[in-house]
Amino acid sequence: MPAAIEFFFDFSSPYGYLASTRIEDIAARHGRTVNWHPVLLGAVFRITGGAPLVSVPLKGDYSTRDMARCARLLGVPFKLPGKFPIATQAAARLTVWAQQADTEAAKSLAGALYRAYFAEDRDISDPEVCAEVAVACGYERAQALAGLNDSAVKDRLRAEVDEAVARKVFGSPYFIVDGEPFWGADRLDHVERWLATGGW
Amino acid sequence: MPAAIEFFFDFSSPYGYLASTRIEDIAARHGRTVNWHPVLLGAVFRITGGAPLVSVPLKGDYSTRDMARCARLLGVPFKLPGKFPIATQAAARLTVWAQQADTEAAKSLAGALYRAYFAEDRDISDPEVCAEVAVACGYERAQALAGLNDSAVKDRLRAEVDEAVARKVFGSPYFIVDGEPFWGADRLDHVERWLATGGW
């Protein structure tokens, strides 16, 4: 069976959100599955000296425009949230918790969390908001809240972030396809071509 | 007559080099012309806090790989130069000088300077190397050297860089199409679609 595509993303990453709406279709067209890895880019930025895009002079204004333009092109609802960027521990932990029971259902939950934040301007840094999203996806509210506060889940997320850094993930979205790294929603066309051709 | 595409680039920018091999064809397909603007990103990075890509931890290694991969995909010769990045005053001034006589010929010269650096690993931070490239493009060696040392040419380049900053250019390549900004070689597909559709 061909290897899964590794998909790393931060819930505060607009381009991660855009990529999340495309990666499963791309993978399916080439008989692949996708492993979703929520990560915390704050930890990565401490190593790379990176900063959230929109806080960078000049580049920030451009990026805000580009995100919306890319979303319109893809037909994906998008609105830069009022509170941006945010801490994404709650959303990432909830996703990791959900993955323990069912990785496919956890993808739907992750997609719903992304939409809540980037299409509906709901503050998913708040565990209560995360729990509401989980309920709409069919999870039990109390279980979801207990899950994202569970110390084993926290440890699991920390291990995931450490592993991402070890694999040199420095941004979101970040993909690994048969060992080949691709960074950015604008590399999805290359991802698809790599899958189709086996590389160049 | 439809407005020209504004194309800003730094001679030390690998993605600027890649874009320079595509932009004229894209413009021609849509009945447009292109104004080439060599700029000095060092001046811009002092404002944005930016840094040359390859010097950023993790991102640097990835970028080196991505540049070569993009070049292979485009069928463009590419080799990360031994000395990288470089100061690009000499190449930019030579181009500005050549533009005064003939903007189309200056594009060929700019393309040759880019190829000298990114395909042949010749150090175009050296005015003598720039002059050699100019000679191969049909310019007189003494005139080219005098041109790139001319204080009026230096002033003109400074004014170009100031204007680029005023237009919020923060990276290379950077395009403005009918007032719409696009940053990065990986936005050329959007540039082409914008030209074809009038925007979205």
Side-chain angles (χ1 to χ4, degrees), chain B residues 4-26:
Chain B
I5 297 169
E6 308 296 336
F7 167 40
F8 301 86
F9 61 97
D10 185 299
F11 275 109
S12 194
S13 159
Y15 295 109
Y17 162 61
L18 296 180
S20 76
T21 68
R22 294 186 61 201
I23 188 61
E24 288 288 338
D25 287 347
I26 290 171

Side-chain angles (χ1 to χ4, degrees), chain A residues 62 65-66 69 180-181 183, chain B residues 65 69 180-181 183 187:
Chain A
Y62 170 82
R65 183 182 193 123
D66 183 66
R69 191 171 62 199
E180 187 73 14
W183 169 48
Chain B
R65 184 182 193 123
R69 192 171 61 198
E180 187 73 14
W183 168 49
R187 281 291 174 275

Side-chain angles (χ1 to χ4, degrees), chain A residues 166-182:
Chain A
R167 296 178 85 169
K168 304 193 176 180
V169 173
F170 60 85
S172 167
Y174 194 96
F175 307 93
I176 300 177
V177 180
D178 298 334
E180 187 73 14
F182 296 90

Side-chain angles (χ1 to χ4, degrees), chain A:
Chain A
M1 206 175 94
I5 297 169
E6 307 297 334
F7 168 39
F8 301 86
F9 60 98
D10 185 301
F11 275 109
S12 194
S13 160
Y15 295 108
Y17 162 60
L18 297 180
S20 76
T21 68
R22 294 185 60 201
I23 187 61
E24 288 288 338
D25 286 347
I26 290 171
R29 279 198 286 276
H30 300 278
R32 300 290 185 113
T33 57
V34 185
N35 294 331
W36 291 41
H37 302 277
V39 294
L40 305 176
L41 275 186
V44 177
F45 285 166
R46 280 194 288 277
I47 295 170
T48 61
L53 259 184
V54 297
S55 66
V56 180
L58 298 183
K59 195 186 263 187
D61 289 342
Y62 170 82
S63 299
T64 301
R65 183 182 193 123
D66 183 66
M67 291 161 193
R69 191 171 62 199
C70 288
R72 290 196 304 273
L73 187 59
L74 294 172
V76 172
F78 176 82
K79 182 179 176 302
L80 193 66
K83 184 177 167 189
F84 178 83
I86 52 167
T88 53
Q89 276 84 351
R93 287 172 184 161
L94 184 64
T95 303
V96 165
W97 167 75
Q99 286 173 333
Q100 294 177 336
D102 183 337
T103 55
E104 291 306 307
K107 291 177 188 178
S108 299
L109 175 61
L113 288 163
Y114 252 148
R115 279 193 302 281
Y117 185 48
F118 284 113
E120 299 157 18
D121 198 2
R122 293 162 68 192
D123 178 7
I124 62 167
S125 69
D126 180 347
E128 297 290 337
V129 174
C130 287
E132 285 168 20
V133 174
V135 168
C137 290
Y139 294 90
E140 296 278 347
R141 175 187 176 76
Q143 287 184 358
L145 279 171
L148 67 80
N149 280 311
D150 185 48
S151 65
V153 169
K154 293 178 183 179
D155 288 346
R156 173 68 192 277
L157 177 59
R158 246 190 305 269
E160 278 266 14
V161 173
D162 287 348
E163 198 197 321
V165 171
R167 296 178 85 169
K168 304 193 176 180
V169 173
F170 60 85
S172 167
Y174 194 96
F175 307 93
I176 300 177
V177 180
D178 298 334
E180 187 73 14
F182 296 90
W183 169 48
D186 42 28
R187 282 291 174 275
L188 279 175
D189 294 341
H190 288 195
V191 165
E192 177 137 35
R193 195 183 288 244
W194 200 269
L195 288 167
T197 65
W200 60 86

